[in-house]
């Protein structure tokens, strides 16, 4: 049995578990450059999390609304349907194609925002590390500020105050995460 036949049969017998284990070593993508790989992987992971978060939130609010619960049932006001400030507009608990269309559209928008934020932050931290030759809190602060400002620009009616506030918040959260990662 020659080497090519042996390798071919080895590749054919790899199980799904072996394929999943290989992702831990090399990641999901091989786009030819570590920066592109990192951005794409961060985007996909965060977009998936954003979609699950949006769908679960809306399912919860539609369940509460469908059950006809109100504040007299002992629930805190922040979990009632009227408190759904970040809810998906166009959803009113009805079972129609319009409601499903609104849920899909808005879940896609939210997952895209999560993915873009994660991809941007990950790419910026990697690029700054390569440019400066160090991975420290300064890289995290700059990447967090730029990502926060970019996210503020995705809001429907963003003001310059909101952009600055999101940039400061992004810098603070990413810097704290960087500093705390060394402790824990």
């Amino acid at each position: 049995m020659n080497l090519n036949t042996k390798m071919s049969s080895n590749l054919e017998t790899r199980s799904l578990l072996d394929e999943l284990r290989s992702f831990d070593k090399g990641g999901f993508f091989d786009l030819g450059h570590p920066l592109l790989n990192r951005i794409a992987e961060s985007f996909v992971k965060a977009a998936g999390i954003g979609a699950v978060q949006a769908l679960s939130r809306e399912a919860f609010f539609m369940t509460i609304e469908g059950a006809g619960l109100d504040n007299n049932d002992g629930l805190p006001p922040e979990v009632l349907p009227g408190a759904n400030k970040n809810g998906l507009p166009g959803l009113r608990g009805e079972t129609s194609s319009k409601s499903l269309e609104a849920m899909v559209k808005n879940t896609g928008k939210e997952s895209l925002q999560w993915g873009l934020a994660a991809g941007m932050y990950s790419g910026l931290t990697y690029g700054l590390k390569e440019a400066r030759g160090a991975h420290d809190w300064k890289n995290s602060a700059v990447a967090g500020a730029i990502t926060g400002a970019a996210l503020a620009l995705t809001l429907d009616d963003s003001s310059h105050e909101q952009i600055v506030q999101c940039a400061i918040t992004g810098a603070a959260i990413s810097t704290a995460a960087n500093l705390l990662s060394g402790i824990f």
Side-chain angles (χ1 to χ4, degrees), residues 53-54 57-58 61 81-89 106 110 155:
Q53 187 266 343
R57 180 188 63 235
E58 286 310 311
F61 283 115
N84 188 4
K85 296 177 192 170
N86 296 326
L88 301 177
N106 291 305
E110 190 164 333
L155 299 174

Side-chain angles (χ1 to χ4, degrees), residues 24 33 36 48 128 147 172 174:
D24 291 336
H33 193 277
L36 296 175
L128 289 168
T147 303
S174 60

Side-chain angles (χ1 to χ4, degrees), residues 147-159 162-167:
T147 303
L151 278 177
L153 292 172
T154 66
L155 299 174
D156 291 334
D157 55 346
S158 61
S159 65
Q162 287 174 320
I163 295 170
V164 171
Q165 182 182 11
C166 288

Side-chain angles (χ1 to χ4, degrees), residues 30 34 55 62 93 148 159:
D30 185 14
L55 286 173
M62 287 193 318
S159 65

Side-chain angles (χ1 to χ4, degrees), residues 112-137:
L112 180 67
Q113 286 175 327
W114 279 62
L116 287 174
M120 178 182 281
Y121 177 78
S122 182
L124 285 168
T125 55
Y126 180 85
L128 289 168
K129 181 182 95 172
E130 292 297 312
R132 293 185 60 235
H135 179 66
D136 57 6
W137 67 270

Side-chain angles (χ1 to χ4, degrees), residues 3-36:
L3 184 60
N4 287 337
T5 307
K6 191 174 184 179
M7 288 179 72
S8 174
S9 101
N10 186 22
L11 289 176
E12 292 170 4
T13 59
R14 286 180 66 174
S15 69
L16 178 62
L17 189 57
D18 294 332
E19 290 293 326
L20 292 174
R21 284 185 186 141
S22 71
F23 288 138
D24 291 336
K25 297 176 186 129
F28 292 116
F29 301 100
D30 185 14
L31 301 175
H33 193 277
L35 175 64
L36 296 175

